[in-house]
Amino acid sequence: MRRLQSATQMLEWSRRERCSGKGIAFVPTMGALHEGHLSLVDLAADRASRVVVSIFVNPAQFGPSKDLEQYPRDVERDMEMLSDRKVDAVFVPEEDVLYPAGCTTLVVETGLSEILEGASRPGHFRGVVTVVTKLLLIVEPDLLVLGQKDAQQVAVLRRLIHDLKFSVDVIVGPIIRESGGLALSSRNAYLSDDERRQAACLHESLFEARNLVRGGEDDAGVVLGAMRDRIEREPAVRIDYVVAVHPDTFEPATSLEGPTLFCVAVFVGDTRLIDNELVSSHPESPDGN
Ligand code: PAF
């Protein structure tokens, strides 16, 4: 497993591999790796003969709070975790590789980026889209592997790839959950035991949505109300949003007939957590889960 730090090293490595006929799957991360990331790495290894992982805590996607400073960083531990998987190269750039002094260019998606996560975290998607553009230009992968947990990020990055005509396919790995159901996230490390217990309301509200829709409920308002009721039982949890949207456009779902993406964002104490579930009223359909 090669550790590459400069953009030139990374690009030369990728081009060499592609010239020798190897397909490259790329898993971008901000480190603090957990089983969710490793499942994406395994998916990448199933789909391509070469796997590249990047580790870069992207300052441009953080707000002005202390979140960036506090974000967990342990590259050596991350490298150790990756060394057990089928990873060929790890790109670990310093900040000035991706944001050299004097760099004033940003890449902005102006539709989907404005709502939900984008509205709650102004500038977040501009940072994500900018850094992923740079990473795609440096890694030149055939496949970009993303996680369903950040469903809106997936939709925004699909738009980027479509609009700027990047020649890369996207594959999306499922949400990986702890045995109790909490979606894995680097931010779970901030939760106290009590907050972790209360955070169960996220996935429980989503499971409730699934049960209601599969049981024939077709009024989004009723389902969202039941989800809110479940979440509001927890004193340390404050709702940011609870929505039902179309899985690609993120338009509010007008009917629960087709596949509907239920998304929740909450603060548990000071920690912001998100989760989502794609629900179909016909579980036997390909989108039913
Ligand atoms: O999902 C993440 O970890 C980040 O948003 C990404 C895609 C690595 C860009 O910094």
Side-chain angles (χ1 to χ4, degrees):
M1 185 172 85
R2 306 279 298 271
R3 177 172 174 161
L4 306 169
Q5 280 180 292
S6 83
T8 314
Q9 278 177 331
M10 183 68 250
L11 188 58
E12 282 177 0
W13 183 91
S14 270
R15 289 196 171 163
R16 236 184 355 258
E17 294 301 322
R18 288 181 61 165
C19 278
S20 66
K22 305 290 192 286
I24 297 175
F26 172 47
V27 186
T29 81
M30 297 207 297
L33 301 182
H34 49 64
E35 286 300 322
H37 297 109
L38 297 181
S39 73
L40 299 180
V41 168
D42 292 344
L43 183 59
D46 275 351
R47 300 294 181 88
S49 47
R50 293 287 178 264
V51 174
V52 177
V53 176
S54 65
I55 299 175
F56 179 68
V57 182
N58 174 32
Q61 70 188 74
F62 287 82
S65 71
K66 293 219 179 307
D67 209 18
L68 171 61
E69 248 170 68
Q70 285 168 354
Y71 199 82
R73 293 169 174 82
D74 190 343
V75 175
E76 296 321 315
R77 176 187 159 276
D78 292 339
M79 295 295 292
E80 181 76 30
M81 288 173 82
L82 293 173
S83 68
D84 284 346
R85 310 305 246 240
K86 205 212 138 294
V87 175
D88 300 285
V90 187
F91 182 45
V92 192
E94 292 296 331
E95 190 173 328
D96 63 355
V97 171
L98 295 183
Y99 298 102
C103 153
T104 52
T105 303
L106 295 166
V107 188
V108 188
E109 188 282 330
T110 56
L112 266 180
S113 296
E114 304 297 321
I115 58 170
L116 302 177
E117 286 304 288
S120 295
R121 306 174 66 191
H124 170 68
F125 283 124
R126 185 184 59 203
V128 172
V129 169
T130 299
V131 82
V132 171
T133 300
K134 291 173 189 245
L135 290 168
L136 289 176
L137 291 169
I138 293 169
V139 178
E140 291 189 343
D142 302 285
L143 274 182
L144 175 64
V145 186
L146 299 170
Q148 172 64 19
K149 173 150 167 303
D150 294 302
Q152 192 180 355
Q153 170 170 279
V154 172
V156 168
L157 292 177
R158 282 192 196 279
R159 293 251 172 117
L160 161 73
I161 286 163
H162 173 266
D163 294 351
L164 297 196
K165 307 209 179 326
F166 277 106
S167 162
V168 61
D169 290 327
V170 176
I171 51 173
V172 181
I175 297 177
I176 305 298
R177 298 180 180 280
E178 293 180 358
S179 55
L182 185 64
L184 294 190
S185 162
S186 310
R187 288 171 204 271
N188 294 352
Y190 304 144
L191 299 172
S192 67
D193 288 348
D194 185 48
E195 286 172 340
R196 181 176 283 273
R197 192 188 51 71
Q198 295 193 41
C201 69
L202 263 92
H203 60 267
E204 287 179 10
S205 72
L206 291 164
F207 296 163
E208 186 146 351
R210 183 177 61 192
N211 289 338
L212 283 169
V213 175
R214 290 204 183 152
E217 182 55 68
D218 61 359
D219 182 334
V222 170
V223 179
L224 294 173
M227 293 175 71
R228 285 182 160 272
D229 286 348
R230 171 64 194 93
I231 295 169
E232 282 166 356
R233 295 216 303 265
E234 305 300 341
V237 181
R238 181 165 58 82
I239 292 176
D240 184 356
Y241 60 76
V242 177
V243 294
V245 296
H246 184 282
D248 302 322
T249 63
F250 276 71
E251 297 284 339
T254 46
S255 129
L256 300 181
E257 256 298 291
T260 304
L261 188 67
F262 287 89
C263 304
V264 288
V266 301
F267 288 91
V268 183
D270 292 333
T271 307
R272 191 168 183 282
L273 298 178
I274 57 172
D275 201 349
N276 68 80
E277 170 113 355
L278 185 63
V279 177
S280 170
S281 52
H282 307 290
E284 67 283 2
S285 79
D287 287 304
N289 50 3

